[in-house]
Amino acid sequence: MTERALLERELWRTLEAVHAVVYFTPDAKAAYGALGLRGYWMGYFASRSAALGSPGPRLVTALFYGFAPRMVERALPDAWGFADPEGVLDARLELARSALAPHAGDGLDGAADLLTSVLAALDVSGRPLAAAHLDVPVPADPLSRIWHAATVLREYRGDGHVAELVSAQVDGVECHRLHGGSLVSQQREFRGWTEEEWAAAGERLRARGLVDAAGEQTPRGRELRTGIERGTDRSAAAALRTLDDGGLRVLRDVLGPVARSLATAGAVPYPNAMGVARP
């Protein structure tokens, strides 16, 4: 792997942590509850999809991937009867700002400017979640701008990852079984799949020679998963093309300590249901 590719991978892990803090802050349930949303998952689905307007469960299930439709249907469209999307977005940004502030250091203005320049040149064709978040008004203060940019870029990479999964014919439940790792047994509950659906996904992967009888990846399964990850990396690299290596290092040096502080403090736990490596 080239030095450039290593820098990009490190930055993607960092941006993931910066973005994801909003899902793990203990204040989330109360903040969304104050708007009328009921329970953690209604807050999650509403807050992550509010940039789309007031979408229904079919669209959100398709874009988020990996969630059982019934799990999304318990939250949407009911959420929009309790809270408007603009209010949800405002609450989400405030949650992110307050959760990141204790971990922020120096150099935020420069990092925010670099990320803003990335967004200005970003081509979001074929990336619906990134496009929706790119249309959200950019906040004023540097820390909020960084979180906003991290969110757009995280969804940009996620849109590309979903495209790779679809191309590989790995569906929304199979992707968890194929991923493996220490959390795989908990992903069924985290993502709302029944035991029958989980078992059927395992059978489909076994029939393709991707997992063995114990549910572990076969060499063919590892090759497919590696190909999906590499394809995601190649696709995501387009987002960073306007940054030279020096710009990537600036972002690494400013945001890397923030991400590591979040991880050390448990503000973003590892391992987690997102399946992303620790920064």
Side-chain angles (χ1 to χ4, degrees):
M1 185 176 291
T2 66
E3 181 183 2
R4 171 81 183 193
L6 288 170
L7 281 169
E8 289 177 350
R9 177 166 290 187
E10 188 175 1
L11 181 58
W12 286 117
R13 290 176 178 175
T14 295
L15 293 172
E16 182 82 34
V18 170
H19 161 74
V21 70
V22 76
Y23 303 130
F24 297 103
T25 174
D27 298 329
K29 185 176 179 180
Y32 296 134
L35 298 177
L37 300 180
R38 300 176 178 178
Y40 173 84
W41 284 110
M42 182 176 280
Y44 170 83
F45 287 115
S47 64
R48 191 177 165 204
S49 69
L52 295 158
S54 52
R58 189 186 302 275
L59 175 59
V60 171
T61 300
L63 296 181
F64 285 16
Y65 218 71
F67 286 95
R70 73 182 64 81
M71 189 171 181
V72 185
E73 290 164 1
R74 285 196 289 268
L76 302 176
D78 290 356
W80 311 125
F82 303 130
D84 65 88
E86 292 79 10
V88 173
L89 288 172
D90 289 344
R92 189 186 196 210
L93 179 61
E94 182 54 39
L95 281 168
R97 183 191 295 116
S98 62
L100 286 171
H103 305 276
D106 299 327
L108 296 182
D109 290 273
D113 289 343
L114 278 172
L115 288 171
T116 298
S117 73
V118 170
L119 297 194
L122 196 63
D123 180 1
V124 291
S125 301
R127 302 188 189 254
L129 275 175
H133 285 86
L134 190 60
D135 275 346
V136 173
V138 179
D141 65 283
L143 188 58
S144 297
R145 286 167 62 204
I146 287 169
W147 183 81
H148 168 74
T151 298
V152 174
L153 291 171
R154 189 269 170 211
E155 299 294 12
Y156 179 99
R157 191 177 192 281
D159 286 335
H161 186 60
V162 169
E164 291 290 330
L165 289 168
V166 172
S167 178
Q169 298 182 14
V170 175
D171 67 26
V173 58
E174 292 169 355
C175 64
H176 303 301
R177 299 297 308 265
L178 183 63
H179 189 281
S182 59
L183 276 178
V184 69
S185 63
Q186 301 176 51
Q187 287 294 80
R188 183 187 70 77
E189 181 180 354
F190 288 157
R191 296 298 184 252
W193 300 101
T194 66
E195 292 183 3
E196 293 76 15
E197 289 165 335
W198 196 251
E203 288 299 325
R204 292 194 299 273
L205 293 174
R206 279 191 285 277
R208 293 175 63 184
L210 301 176
V211 301
D212 59 24
E216 299 297 326
Q217 291 176 0
T218 63
R220 184 176 176 183
R222 285 191 294 273
E223 181 181 2
L224 179 64
R225 185 181 169 219
T226 297
I228 290 169
E229 294 301 326
R230 287 177 177 168
T232 302
D233 285 343
R234 286 193 301 270
S235 174
L240 306 176
R241 69 183 185 277
T242 58
L243 292 176
D244 60 18
D245 290 0
L248 290 177
R249 292 189 189 97
V250 169
L251 291 175
R252 177 196 64 188
D253 294 344
V254 173
L255 300 182
V258 177
R260 290 190 291 273
S261 178
L262 290 168
T264 299
V268 178
Y270 293 89
N272 58 56
M274 299 179 298
V276 179
R278 187 184 181 102

